[in-house]
Amino acid sequence: MGDSKNLGDHVIEGHDYDGIQELNNPLPAWWLGIFWATCLFGLAYYIYYELAGGPTLDEELQTAMSEIHAVKEEAQAANPTAAPKSDEELNALVSDPAALEKGAQVFQTNCVACHGAKGEGTIGPNLTDDYWIHKKGTMSDIVSLIKTGVPDKGMPPWEAAIAAEDIEKTAAFIVSLKGTNPPNAKAPQGEQVTE
Amino acid sequence: MSNHSPGTDTVTYDDDIVKKFIFAALLFGGVAFLVGVIVALQLAYWQFNFDTSWLTFGRLRPLHTNAAIFAFAGNIVFAGIYHSTQRLLKARMFSRALSCIHFWGWQLIIVAAAISLPLGLTTGKEYAELEWPIDIAITLIWVVFAINFFGTLAKRRVQHIYVAIWFYIATIVTVAVLHIVNSLALPVSMMKSYPVFAGIQDALVQWWYGHNAVAFFLTTPFLGLMYYYLPKAVQRPVYSYRLSIIHFWALVFMYIWAGPHHLLNTALPDWAQTLGMIFSVALWAPSWGGMINGLLTLRGAWDKLRTEPVVKFFVAAVTAYGMSTFEGPLLSIKSVSSLGHYTDWIVGHVHVGTLGWNGFMAFGISYYLLPRIWKTQLYSKSMATAHFWVATVGIVLYYISMLSAGITQGLMWRNIDSAGRLVYPDFVETVTKIIPLYQVRVVGGTLFLIGFLIMIYNLFKTAQTAAKDATDETVQVAFKGLPGVEGETGHRKLEGLVTAFTVLTLIAILIGSVLEILPTLNLDKYVAPASKVHPFSPLEIAGRDIYIREGCYVCHSQMIRKMPSDVLRFGEPSTIGESMYDHPFQWGSKRTGPDLSRVGKKYPSLWHFRHMIDPRSISEHSVMPNYPWLASQKVDFYSLRKKLSVLKALGVPYSDDVLGRADVIAEEEARVIAEELKGQGVEGKIEDKDIIALIAYLQALGQKGIKE
């Protein structure tokens, strides 16, 4: 210890730059340790991933995605409420205040941009009238339409973003809007459906 | 220079040029910090975009970065280099005329940048936004600087060059190489060009440049300055000569490989990502070598830290350097990058370096130099100390807020629930969450600016006490010709041989550059035939140029990374093929808004029309600026033939028919979109407006694949 300290404490002869002198302390051991450790890490990493057949990014993504799909299926199997509902069960939602409240909330966050705050229609069609572009506007029609969307016509699919039960509640909310005649309603589009 | 007595030269240093560069640095520093506070405000409160094209975030952010890097840091580097080099080499600058050309030329470039960037005249390449005539001017002025510097080296009166000079050499050589390669472009008109590289090539070249602008414009010159001014200020010898040798060569050789750490988990080939990552991790120790040599030089003089504001600034600067060069390697690890990339964590990381390391070095040097040049004392040490503390609190607030914002948002993006769905599918929700932190950042930035203004006042008062006869410093140097390097060995010998030293430096930086970039120049090797795409149509090209002009890329990425959270949110990962005709590439570096690579056909055109004019009419809590002028400004149909022919010359496959009728085709495309919008209630003559071209481009994103 003492020796190496002395070595550092003597300025190097001939090293004088505008009055700046230099010591010659040894490289700190911990610093050298970091240096070699990171270099070795890099080498090992390179050998594993690029030479020894370690997983590529594509393979890692595939693994992760199939895990997510497995989780999805498991959740569906474990949660019977997520299984397809009968028409009666769906229609019951329209008179369930809690379901309508949740549906209204989902509608506020995701749908008003195109269907207007009251469902009167702006970019997308009016959802309060009795005209429907797609099918007949029953609960199950609306649920499946929200899920798959109409990507070519600018109605996004929502299956991935919104939980199935919340989509059902949103559909119930839409059904509950029927006949509300909001101001500035967009002209009817599609076919009139009379019950 | 006349000789007083035989063997003694009288040398008069050019201090006037040093003073000029410092003044310019301080002037433009003020501008850079002020614009920084404005852009910070714009993210916290979108109203500060003022619905005015040249004041929007997309145009001001490049102004802020360019002003901070090239005007503020650049000028202080030149000041420090001109001041210290003359003294370290015991020689007046090679040519006063070249010094003046360098100074005024550089300031003209800055003025040109300050005018052209807000006007939307930009290449769209980060930290290299300036258009081709300005790029050429930069090259010429850099050559003037190089001649002046190496000319001074040639007439030096000391045999060996000090470590500060090594770093200056590395800076001058490398910046030249980086700037020239990354700026290669074909002009379309006086202020418009397309870069010769596209897609992954452009991504790789851009971040090889971008990262090494940090390395060789904001790091190596500042290390050189540190090696001169820190020992001067504390009057202690440098801690370890061998450490300086080792960390200098390690830095110069390894830094150049690190660029791809900006492109982790993207479509860039895996091997390039891996190289970028491992070299970045291994840069930790070489970087810290500089920090150790700086901090340990204070041994035996730590009391100065209490009494001398200059030393406070230097020590804090070196500490900030140590922090950011630890965080950098950390962020370069693929898994850490998958959390931090595209978030504000990166913005926080950069500002520890720029505000802390570059800013505090610059302030320390200004406080050190100006009183000496004016042959007086600093007006108020306590004011300088106040500056130090106010600015330090500013940096801490900045960093903590951006670190938390970045990690918070990064975690929200990747949060997947037990049913395999995103917990926060609505992107805006992840933005709204961090707005309070954006507000904290405004406070941090404002404090930094206030500290700076305190310094300006202090220096102004100091100037009033300047000696009236403060002339350039003159010294006597014993000199009978350079002794030569006979009998010397190893690195010591090299320090006496400037040409050899410079060539070795050049080789060190070229190895990594060539090995990384060359393989990707043969793009075909990487593009699977199935992922080939059609080029953009004429109107879409017009829209793309508007996208670049407005700086949409500073908030939006076009790169879906190979990560579940990206794929669930935005769709299939981006391929190399998709951006193969993108001159320049648009992968982006920050997601203040969502990724746009698959936005085409996601929404009706009317949605985009309304969203561009007033994003909040569609998305209540959006922070995106309004772009009302797009609905009144006309599309430049006329230049499309020229634009497409330039793109064709760069390898984009347009048929002669399309080239010849590009404007006609575009007008027809615009008419179709305009008709559709009019059918949905949009009024007025819109078929010749910018917004139609931009919508065409947005609707084409992700839609260009060649279906078998």
Side-chain angles (χ1 to χ4, degrees), chain B residues 362-672:
Chain B
F363 301 152
I365 290 172
S366 305
Y367 282 124
Y368 176 89
L369 270 187
L370 282 177
R372 278 175 174 72
I373 289 178
W374 286 325
K375 303 200 166 47
T376 178
Q377 297 289 319
L378 184 64
Y379 170 69
S380 162
K381 266 193 189 180
S382 55
M383 221 182 259
T385 306
H387 171 197
F388 173 79
W389 287 113
V390 172
T392 302
V393 173
I395 297 177
V396 169
L397 285 180
Y398 193 113
Y399 178 64
I400 300 287
S401 61
M402 287 303 97
L403 178 68
S404 340
I407 293 181
T408 304
Q409 200 179 26
L411 289 175
M412 287 175 90
W413 287 347
R414 62 163 54 181
N415 198 343
I416 297 172
D417 68 13
S418 57
R421 263 196 319 262
L422 294 170
V423 177
Y424 304 98
D426 185 13
F427 190 91
V428 191
E429 199 180 344
T430 72
V431 180
T432 324
K433 184 85 180 176
I434 58 173
I435 295 290
L437 294 165
Y438 282 169
Q439 293 161 348
V440 173
R441 163 173 56 188
V442 174
V443 177
T446 307
L447 286 177
F448 193 84
L449 177 61
I450 290 174
F452 175 78
L453 294 176
I454 297 175
M455 172 172 90
I456 296 297
Y457 177 77
N458 200 358
L459 291 176
F460 175 75
K461 293 302 261 185
T462 309
Q464 290 179 331
T465 67
K468 290 285 165 287
D469 58 342
T471 48
D472 288 349
E473 187 186 353
T474 301
V475 292
Q476 305 295 325
V477 182
F479 185 65
K480 300 193 211 69
L482 294 179
V485 292
E486 273 80 59
E488 289 179 349
T489 53
H491 202 269
R492 189 62 180 160
K493 184 168 181 179
L494 190 61
E495 289 159 28
L497 302 168
V498 171
T499 314
F501 195 99
T502 308
V503 171
L504 273 182
T505 310
L506 182 64
I507 293 173
I509 63 131
L510 284 181
I511 293 175
S513 310
V514 171
L515 289 183
E516 256 182 21
I517 294 176
L518 220 54
T520 63
L521 291 187
N522 181 8
L523 197 65
D524 281 338
K525 204 170 92 201
Y526 291 101
V527 182
S531 76
K532 283 219 159 93
V533 295
H534 292 293
F536 287 117
S537 76
L539 186 65
E540 290 156 11
I541 288 293
R544 189 172 191 281
D545 284 338
I546 295 166
Y547 185 90
I548 291 170
R549 181 186 78 200
E550 300 302 340
C552 308
Y553 61 87
V554 304
C555 284
H556 290 288
S557 60
Q558 289 183 26
M559 170 48 62
I560 303 171
R561 291 171 297 167
K562 296 175 178 170
M563 291 158 40
S565 51
D566 263 31
V567 172
L568 288 179
R569 190 177 294 278
F570 302 118
E572 284 304 299
S574 301
T575 63
I576 294 178
E578 276 173 297
S579 53
M580 64 189 291
Y581 300 131
D582 267 5
H583 298 264
F585 80 118
Q586 289 299 320
W587 297 5
S589 64
K590 176 74 178 62
R591 276 184 192 154
T592 302
D595 188 273
L596 296 182
S597 40
R598 301 261 190 275
V599 87
K601 300 273 160 68
K602 178 179 173 190
Y603 303 120
S605 296
L606 183 60
W607 188 99
H608 288 295
F609 189 85
R610 296 201 180 168
H611 184 254
M612 291 313 305
I613 292 172
D614 178 9
R616 274 144 299 277
S617 72
I618 298 278
S619 176
E620 195 183 342
H621 301 291
S622 182
V623 296
M624 179 162 144
N626 298 340
Y627 291 92
W629 61 92
L630 295 181
S632 56
Q633 213 157 293
K634 284 194 180 164
V635 185
D636 181 8
F637 288 115
Y638 179 73
S639 65
L640 280 172
R641 290 189 204 191
K642 184 74 198 286
K643 282 181 175 170
L644 265 70
S645 65
V646 169
L647 287 171
K648 180 165 186 176
L650 292 172
V652 184
Y654 287 114
S655 70
D656 288 339
D657 176 51
V658 171
L659 278 194
R661 301 189 303 121
D663 45 350
V664 182
I665 297 174
E667 278 172 335
E668 176 56 22
E669 292 179 83
R671 205 187 49 76
V672 172

Side-chain angles (χ1 to χ4, degrees), chain A:
Chain A
M1 225 10 237
D3 271 345
S4 64
K5 195 153 175 251
N6 280 343
L7 182 79
D9 281 341
H10 291 297
V11 297
I12 311 174
E13 217 174 294
H15 286 218
D16 183 328
Y17 306 92
D18 194 35
I20 300 175
Q21 295 180 304
E22 291 183 296
L23 304 171
N24 205 9
N25 281 295
L27 311 174
W30 61 268
W31 180 84
L32 270 175
I34 295 179
F35 188 55
W36 290 121
T38 51
C39 288
L40 282 178
F41 165 79
L43 192 65
Y45 189 96
Y46 189 85
I47 290 175
Y48 175 62
Y49 280 99
E50 304 306 325
L51 304 177
T56 64
L57 285 174
D58 285 319
E59 289 162 359
E60 284 180 350
L61 175 66
Q62 249 171 15
T63 316
M65 289 309 287
S66 49
E67 273 166 27
I68 288 176
H69 287 304
V71 164
K72 250 188 190 157
E73 276 161 24
E74 224 171 274
Q76 240 151 30
N79 186 0
T81 58
K85 285 201 178 74
S86 67
D87 283 349
E88 290 76 52
E89 281 173 305
L90 284 175
N91 288 334
L93 288 174
V94 182
S95 44
D96 173 355
L100 290 181
E101 194 178 324
K102 178 68 192 176
Q105 202 185 321
V106 174
F107 191 84
Q108 272 306 316
T109 344
N110 298 300
C111 321
V112 292
C114 294
H115 292 287
K118 298 191 158 62
E120 74 274 19
T122 51
I123 293 164
N126 182 346
L127 297 177
T128 67
D129 57 16
D130 49 5
Y131 287 78
W132 291 94
I133 306 173
H134 299 278
K135 302 204 190 150
K136 299 199 172 318
T138 66
M139 271 299 286
S140 61
D141 289 347
I142 300 180
V143 168
S144 65
L145 186 117
I146 298 174
K147 282 186 178 164
T148 55
V150 196
D152 283 349
K153 295 283 161 66
M155 163 70 188
W158 294 96
E159 201 162 19
I162 307 178
E165 20 183 313
D166 290 343
I167 289 187
E168 288 158 5
K169 291 171 185 164
T170 314
F173 173 71
I174 291 177
V175 171
S176 78
L177 292 176
K178 187 152 161 188
T180 49
N181 279 324
N184 301 322
K186 199 172 169 188
Q189 288 166 272
E191 307 276 318
Q192 189 167 23
V193 177
T194 43
E195 274 144 78

